[in-house]
Amino acid sequence: GEIRCAGDTIVIGLAADSGCGKSTFMRRLTSVFGGAAEPPKGGNPDSNTLISDTTTVICLDDYHSLDRTGRKVEGVTALDPRANNFDLMYEQVKALKDGIAVDKPIYNHVSGLLDPPELIKPPKILVIEGLHPMYDERVRDLLDFSIYLDISNDVKFAWKIQRDMAERGHSLESIKASIEARKPDFDAYIDPQKQYADAVIEVLPTQLIPDDNEGKVLRVKLIMKEGVKYFNPVYLFDEGSTISWIPCGRKLTCSFPGIKFSYGPDTYYGQEVSVLEMDGQFDKLDELIYVESHLSNISTKFYGEITQQMLKHADFPGSNNGTGLFQTIVGLKIRDLFEQITASKASATLEATKA
Ligand code: ADP
Ligand code: G6P
């Protein structure tokens, strides 16, 4: 009989509010997949797309149905589903997954207008990143794996201040006001998506310094759903046990306030999960190998791969703490997932050929 070769594209969803580290995460992810992703050559210089040999990252802002003026006129924010075209998002992600190229619109972040579309060809790995990858049920069902970056308000505030005040000259008051203005729609439309995520990276203020409000030292949790096909959660020492580990001492240099890891089973929105947590930060990044050697199910291809990745991108934000560590681990898990799915499709095709 006829062998219909469905597209081999796997689709990953990455949800987060803007300014919460999605582009940093994408750079770590594409590096694990074997090459930095670049904007499309010769296209619109304001394209939001990134392309590497294996991976295409598209930004879901491109599915805004209302441009900046339209949102103002209608009185809706970019977070509001009414400002976004989920029918087109679904159609195009589905087409790409089926191996069909699409003409995707471009939302121009500079002008606030919708630019003429760009051609997107089906990649091996398609990442859809933005505010709503898990909002629409049809799009959600196309995802082979989903991640939610959950940045707590205090930390979001500290990051925004750092970026918008230091780099963009905004005032403290205007930053506070813009976070407050987004909050109702954020709570209504963005935050609820985390219940659907296969992995959540939650970023909180440290508990190692009493009443810390600087937001510099972070407590980061990697929440991993149990029972997801092709995804085996990472564990520390003993799978399923509850562990608390302070690695500081002879083998790991820790200055104040130190480092604390925790691991164990938990529930999250009524579902069974494993949670790995790191509070504090590394003094010497190459000593991360000591921590790495105590983690299992990390899907590395050689001893020390996590440490190597972290050292390679030591200049990215979060490289000395759990944000960088867990983003790197999620990247390795996705590479593993991709390889398992590809292998299972290949053997299914072989079976079909025999029949
Ligand atoms: P997005 O793509 O979601 O807008 P970026 O990756 O560009 O976010 O990050 C936005 C800003 O947030 C960075 O310039 C940096 O100031 C801050 N930031 C992001 N990730 C981290 C992190 N892990 N630790 C500290 N600051 C971070
Ligand atoms: C993009 C971002 C949103 C941001 C918006 C700016 O869509 O993803 O997070 O709010 O641009 O919208 P504005 O209406 O202020 O131009």
Side-chain angles (χ1 to χ4, degrees):
E2 183 197 12
I3 302 165
R4 199 181 155 272
C5 217
D8 283 329
T9 300
I10 74 153
V11 188
I12 311 295
L14 174 65
D17 201 358
S18 55
C20 284
K22 284 188 300 289
S23 34
T24 309
F25 191 177
M26 280 307 112
R27 288 195 290 165
R28 289 192 200 278
L29 193 72
T30 50
S31 168
V32 166
F33 296 165
E38 314 264 351
K41 287 196 183 67
N44 183 336
D46 291 326
S47 165
N48 303 308
T49 303
L50 291 172
I51 298 176
S52 76
D53 286 349
T54 55
T55 311
T56 295
V57 182
I58 63 177
C59 171
L60 296 178
D61 286 348
D62 290 334
Y63 293 100
H64 281 335
S65 53
L66 296 173
D67 62 11
R68 193 171 290 156
T69 315
R71 293 198 292 273
K72 215 166 243 165
V73 170
E74 300 290 327
V76 297
T77 70
L79 310 154
D80 191 312
R82 285 172 296 172
N84 297 280
N85 186 345
F86 288 103
D87 291 343
L88 186 64
M89 191 191 292
Y90 167 66
E91 261 167 45
Q92 298 205 331
V93 175
K94 169 119 182 36
L96 288 169
K97 191 163 183 163
D98 290 340
I100 303 161
V102 300
D103 273 317
K104 181 189 59 55
I106 298 176
Y107 176 71
N108 187 319
H109 285 96
V110 181
S111 66
L113 298 170
L114 286 155
D115 283 354
E118 61 185 352
L119 182 71
I120 303 290
K121 293 184 189 145
K124 285 189 176 146
I125 302 167
L126 173 69
V127 182
I128 59 170
E129 61 97 350
L131 296 167
H132 306 97
M134 286 96 89
Y135 183 82
D136 183 281
E137 192 183 349
R138 297 164 302 169
V139 179
R140 198 160 70 225
D141 287 345
L142 295 172
L143 301 177
D144 293 288
F145 195 76
S146 56
I147 308 133
Y148 186 94
L149 283 185
D150 190 4
I151 314 298
S152 68
N153 269 323
D154 296 338
V155 175
K156 208 187 269 189
F157 191 58
W159 288 2
K160 282 254 186 212
I161 288 174
Q162 182 189 318
R163 187 177 69 169
D164 293 353
M165 227 160 105
E167 294 163 28
R168 298 182 180 178
H170 297 190
S171 73
L172 190 65
E173 282 315 305
S174 75
I175 296 167
K176 264 191 190 152
S178 86
I179 292 181
E180 282 308 308
R182 286 173 76 88
K183 194 147 189 320
D185 281 357
F186 179 80
D187 291 344
Y189 308 120
I190 312 305
D191 193 66
Q193 294 175 89
K194 62 192 182 195
Q195 67 189 291
Y196 304 117
D198 298 315
V200 176
I201 297 178
E202 198 175 300
V203 184
L204 304 151
T206 183
Q207 286 183 333
L208 300 173
I209 308 169
D211 303 315
D212 175 73
N213 49 19
E214 250 191 288
K216 288 236 163 65
V217 182
L218 301 174
R219 176 164 76 106
V220 187
K221 289 181 166 192
L222 174 58
I223 301 162
M224 299 164 279
K225 206 177 262 182
E226 293 291 339
V228 176
K229 202 168 182 199
Y230 306 121
F231 174 58
N232 298 314
V234 174
Y235 66 88
L236 179 63
F237 295 120
D238 183 39
E239 191 164 21
S241 294
T242 296
I243 312 270
S244 176
W245 183 42
I246 296 174
C248 308
R250 291 189 195 151
K251 293 182 185 140
L252 199 76
T253 317
C254 297
S255 57
F256 178 82
I259 299 178
K260 185 178 172 187
F261 277 88
S262 319
Y263 162 75
D266 205 342
T267 56
Y268 187 77
Y269 288 93
Q271 297 164 89
E272 261 184 66
V273 295
S274 283
V275 181
L276 179 64
E277 178 182 312
M278 174 182 165
D279 195 349
Q281 52 196 32
F282 301 109
D283 275 349
K284 296 185 183 155
L285 204 46
D286 50 356
E287 291 175 354
L288 173 59
I289 188 70
Y290 179 64
V291 172
E292 177 174 352
S293 66
H294 288 81
L295 293 169
S296 301
N297 267 353
I298 43 181
S299 301
T300 46
K301 296 211 175 193
F302 52 88
Y303 179 76
E305 189 176 14
I306 292 179
T307 306
Q308 187 204 58
Q309 280 293 326
M310 292 280 282
L311 284 168
K312 189 170 169 190
H313 302 300
D315 57 323
F316 289 4
S319 290
N320 64 344
N321 64 39
T323 60
L325 175 61
F326 294 161
Q327 288 175 0
T328 304
I329 290 178
V330 170
L332 293 166
K333 298 309 293 185
I334 292 175
R335 181 181 68 189
D336 191 354
L337 181 109
F338 168 72
E339 288 175 357
Q340 288 184 63
I341 294 178
T342 308
S344 83
K345 275 186 184 164
S347 68
T349 309
L350 192 65
E351 284 307 309
T353 318
K354 281 189 203 153

